[in-house]
Each structure stands twice: as C-alpha cells, then as structure tokens.
Amino acid sequence: MQKCPVIIAIHYTSYGAQWRDLLAERLTNCEIRLWPDWGDLAEIDYAVAWTPPDGLLRQCENLKAVFSIGAGVDQLLADPDYPRNVPLIRMTDDILAEGMAEYVTLAVLTLHRDLLRYLDFQRTADWQPLPQRYPKDHKVGIMGFGKLGQAAALALKPFGFEISGWSRTPKQLAGVESFAGLEQLPDFLAPLDFLVVLLPLTDDTQGMVNADLLSSLPRGASVINAARGGLIDIETLKPLIDGGALGHLWLDVHHVEPLPADHWTWAHPNVVVTPHIAAATLPRTASNLVADGILQMEAGQMPANVVEFDKGY
Amino acid sequence: MQKCPVIIAIHYTSYGAQWRDLLAERLTNCEIRLWPDWGDLAEIDYAVAWTPPDGLLRQCENLKAVFSIGAGVDQLLADPDYPRNVPLIRMTDDILAEGMAEYVTLAVLTLHRDLLRYLDFQRTADWQPLPQRYPKDHKVGIMGFGKLGQAAALALKPFGFEISGWSRTPKQLAGVESFAGLEQLPDFLAPLDFLVVLLPLTDDTQGMVNADLLSSLPRGASVINAARGGLIDIETLKPLIDGGALGHLWLDVHHVEPLPADHWTWAHPNVVVTPHIAAATLPRTASNLVADGILQMEAGQMPANVVEFDKGY
C-alpha cells in the first residue's frame, strides 16, 4: 500500500484522539493527522469527518473519499463548498442501529406504560394505578424507514405493537404496513398513537414535521424525534402540545444543539429532552468500518454506502 | 341458551363490578351475581373466582365450571373443600407474561440508558451527554425463571444483553445461562448489573432478597422487583442504597400495598416506586376469555386450559 495520509476532522479532542489511535492500529501505512494539525491539505487522501470547518474538505484537492462518522451526512453537505465530486461514505455501523432501536423502544415503552406519570406520582407519594394499556392499543408509525427505522420496527414488533413505516420510496418489511410518498402521508399518520421520526435531513425534509403535517395525527398522539432537530418546525408545535393535540413530544435532537437553556421545550411538562444521545458512534467498532473502507479503496474497490448527492443520503 | 347463573367471587368491589358488567355484555342470557350476593348457591352454573371463602364452591352443588381470573390456581386449590369433580379453567397468562416482559424491559432500558439522570438534567436545562453504555456492558440476571421470568429474558435478549436466570430447579432457555439452587446463587449474582426479581412468594422465598443475599452483587448494581413485595426485606436494603452499594431499586411491589405515603422508598432519589402495575389481569380482555369459555360449555364443548388436578396446573 502507498502512504495514504488521513485527516480526522472531528473537533472533540479526546474523541478524535481515540479515532486516531484506533485507525493507526489498522492503517499501519497511513499517516493519521488529527484536528487541527492538518499539515498540507493537498497531501490528504482520506478524511474521516463529522463537522469540519466549511471549505476544509474542498481544500483537500487530492481527496479520494470522505467517511462520515455518523449515520447522517447533512452536517457535511451543509458546507456550500463541500466537494461533491468525491465519494462520501455513510456510517452504517450496526451499533448505531442497535442504539437507536434501544432508544426508540425506551421512549415508546415509557409513554405506552405511563412511566412519566408514575414518576410524577412518586414525587407526592401518590399511589395511583392507571388502567394498563396493551400494545394492541397503541399504533407506532416510523417515518423514515431505512436501516435505523427498520431496526426500531424490529425491536418494537415482538412487544405486539402494530407498526407501520413511511418512506420516500416504498420499503418492505415483513409484518409492517408500508407507506410511501407524500400522497400516502395522511393515511400513514391517521391511526398513529406514536410517531417516530427517523428521516434523513435533506432539502426536502427540512422542517417537514410541522403543525400542518401533524394535523393528520389523532388527538393526543405523541411524537418522538431521534434523527435531526431540523426535521421539526418546533415553534409550530408549541400550540399543539400546549392544547393537548399532541400528547408528548420526545426530543433527542433539537433545532440548535446544545439546546439553549431558555428554550421552552426544556421546561414543558409534556416534553422530554435528551441531549442527542440516542445512538452514538462507538469509535472501537466504527473505526474498523472506516479502516475497511480505506483498505478497499486502496485495493481499487468502492465501499458500500456511498451517498447519492441528489437524494442527500 | 339456557339461563346460566354466574357468580363472581372476587372480593374487590369496583373490580368485581367491572367483571360483572363486562360479562353481562357478553352473556346476555345469564344472571350475574356479585360477591356477596350469592343468592341460592344451588342455582349457580359457573363461578368466576380469585379467592372465594373456603367451602363456597363446594356449596354450588350444580356447578358446571370454575374460571380462575389468574394464571395460578393454587389459591383455589388451597380450599380443602374445593370441588375437584368440576372443570377448573385457568386464565391464559400470555397477557400477564407480555405485560411483565414490557415492564421489565422498560425498567432495564431506563437504567441502562440513564433516562432517570437525563430527566433530572432536564429539570435544570442541563445539556449533559453521558457516555453511552452498550448492552454488552450490562448483565441482567432474572431470579425466578418460570413463564414470566423467561418472557422477560426473551424480551431483553434481542437487545444484546447477556442474560442469566436462577430458579429453584434447573430451567433451560436457549442462549441464557441457567443457575439453580441456593448453592449457585452467589455465582449467579456476582457478575450482574441488573437483578430482576420474579420469584413466586412462598415460605422459602419470603424476605429472601435481603442485604445478606445482595452482598454477592457487584457494587452499584440495581435491583428490580416486579413479583411480590414480601420477597424483599426492604429495611435491610436502605443502608445499601444510601451508601451506593446498590445503584437503583426499582419496586413495583411493596411490603405493604398501597405503600404508606411516609415510607422512605417514595422519596429516595435512587428508588423508583410504581403502584403494582407491571402486569395486571385486565377485566376488559380477561372477561372475554371467560365469556368465551362459558359460551363454549353452553354449546357442549370443553374450553382450553382446563387444570389437571393431579398436576396442580
């Protein structure tokens, strides 16, 4: 193998250092450069990136590929100078799908079994059994039905929930009702108790989950967003949650991150806020996928999961 | 159909009344009599029972069948005068096992993914991502490995947790390490992050989960009890949870129910208290099974789930 300089454009120091050490173990012929010690960018063959400075990747004029360390790539494509002539590879570590399946199951079961109300009752030592709901009483719809959405569906299905999926193009998953395209969205939403948002963030989906769209949900339905904050037009949802049209909003991702301390979602009794923790990329496993991809390219092959720039994912 | 008097021998007034109303909807030709308005017991065709007074069912000398509203029938067979010449039908317990599997999964995922800490952070608008733990980092042990315990294991297994079970006599479940008998208890407990208690309450298990037993757990392990309050010697656990030897105590069942408002468990920051709601027999669905059984018998057929008295279940 030739010398293949790799830059790690991840601006979390200790996290980036983990990536550097793990990649160095696998890519013994590569020189790994960690943010911000880029050196001469024209020497860089591969970039392993989350949110590099705008324009940085364009300056890597001999780049062979960019590897995103997250499932989404919207944060890279937001750079107006992003080099769209270079293959961009999405992270598809199974561990992301597992983390997401866990997080979505936790959110759905918490709402389904009224855990938030019981935790409230506990604060006043209030012994108040509520009527138990069965999974058959609660329909779950997953909007965005790719790898993560299907993993969430497969995790929830054994509990007996009725599950449906919606995506831009038709997807098939055994035992799950599938909807596709904008014209089927109202039918998808109409029977749901829980809407789980796992869409990619693209020009088409930006702000898509707004009051207008959610007017197709039954009164009291809850929305769980574990994908990207930009999918939700959050200010349009405040009247819905205030007025009870929405039961709960469960938000792992937010229009600004970190979420400003004075934003109303933090303090709302029917909103759960978590700090973008649904499914973190684990360097130990993810670095192996990146190393595999670099070795494949050095051997003249194209890795799987190359982003289609016109679709945005 | 002939007139078929049914007595409901369930001594919880509003709960019994729900059963009466639901059965009356289905059994329009039957007269439903609710505890303690038995009337002439010789007129009774069917009994729907949990813990009737000893001798009551023997006095129903023309009884065609008894329906237990619980999965177990030991509370009925404990009556020395129980009429063993009459078919006894037990409640199919799939719904109980499903509810238990849901509840245990919810409790384990909540602790595994630090949801209680994130809910605390939310109260002060504190954006604080914690290191994500993976299922391989957390071992779950289920103490009491019958139908409910195995259902909980099967629900947790797809998430990737390492799971073990302990029971009095050896049980086998694919992919789960099984321990049996008192001498194997320390080995069962030693590696656990989460101990789920689903034992039956017997003379042998009363107060079994005490400080002495839990000293075999690693420091910081959590205990989830969703079976019977009497299994735990709760006062011996206070120093353990106060001192951090135990991480969390998650209690659905309690030494006294309803749990008195001044009991320390309600107010402890590392104790979750829910009001015995893990898996209830719900009249809405269970009454349909009983009504189906009565209609089958009136049509000359024997329902499923007839107890074999020599086996006791």
Side-chain angles (χ1 to χ4, degrees), chain A residues 99 102 105-106 110 112-113 118 122-123 125 127 132 134-135 137 254 258-259 261 266 271-273 275 277-278 280 282, chain B residues 95 99 102 106 110 112-113 118 122-123 125 127 132 134-135 254 258-259 261 266 271-273 275 277-278 280 282 284-285:
Chain A
E102 272 182 12
T105 303
L106 172 56
T110 296
H112 166 63
R113 293 302 302 267
Y118 286 122
Q122 187 177 344
R123 280 182 204 108
W127 180 275
Q132 184 174 330
Y134 292 109
D137 300 334
H254 310 275
L259 182 64
W266 278 115
V271 179
V272 172
V273 169
I277 49 81
L282 183 65
Chain B
I95 271 165
E102 273 183 11
L106 172 56
T110 296
H112 167 62
R113 292 303 301 268
Y118 286 121
Q122 187 177 344
R123 280 182 205 108
W127 181 275
Q132 183 173 331
Y134 297 88
H254 310 276
L259 182 64
W266 279 115
V271 179
V272 172
V273 169
I277 49 81
L282 293 188
R284 176 163 53 85
T285 51

Side-chain angles (χ1 to χ4, degrees), chain B residues 16-37:
Chain B
Q18 276 185 67
W19 273 92
R20 177 196 58 205
D21 295 347
L22 288 159
L23 286 178
E25 280 178 30
R26 289 284 314 278
L27 304 171
T28 48
N29 290 338
C30 293
E31 178 199 347
I32 317 284
R33 299 179 190 173
L34 187 58
W35 177 311
D37 300 320

Side-chain angles (χ1 to χ4, degrees), chain A residues 172-196:
Chain A
Q172 296 302 323
L173 187 66
V176 172
E177 192 178 8
S178 285
F179 296 84
L182 291 177
E183 69 286 356
Q184 292 190 2
L185 252 179
D187 287 346
F188 164 71
L189 294 168
L192 299 183
D193 298 283
F194 302 117
L195 172 65
V196 178

Side-chain angles (χ1 to χ4, degrees), chain A residues 189 192-195 217-223 241 244-249:
Chain A
L189 294 168
L192 299 183
D193 298 283
F194 302 117
L195 172 65
L217 286 175
R219 183 171 176 82
S222 293
V223 176
I241 188 95
L246 285 178
H248 283 85
L249 263 178

Side-chain angles (χ1 to χ4, degrees), chain B residues 281-304:
Chain B
T281 296
L282 293 188
R284 176 163 53 85
T285 51
S287 63
N288 272 321
L289 298 177
V290 170
D292 289 345
I294 289 175
L295 293 172
Q296 276 184 286
M297 292 203 72
E298 288 296 296
Q301 297 171 322
M302 185 59 70

Side-chain angles (χ1 to χ4, degrees), chain B residues 8-75:
Chain B
I8 303 193
I10 302 168
H11 62 250
Y12 303 104
T13 311
S14 71
Y15 189 70
Q18 276 185 67
W19 273 92
R20 177 196 58 205
D21 295 347
L22 288 159
L23 286 178
E25 280 178 30
R26 289 284 314 278
L27 304 171
T28 48
N29 290 338
C30 293
E31 178 199 347
I32 317 284
R33 299 179 190 173
L34 187 58
W35 177 311
D37 300 320
W38 321 116
D40 179 359
L41 290 171
E43 293 171 359
I44 299 299
D45 285 336
Y46 300 101
V48 181
W50 180 238
T51 52
D54 279 2
L56 181 89
L57 296 176
R58 169 73 73 189
Q59 293 174 61
C60 301
E61 56 195 41
N62 295 307
L63 207 53
K64 297 178 186 170
V66 177
F67 291 83
S68 170
I69 68 159
V73 294
D74 50 295
Q75 74 288 350

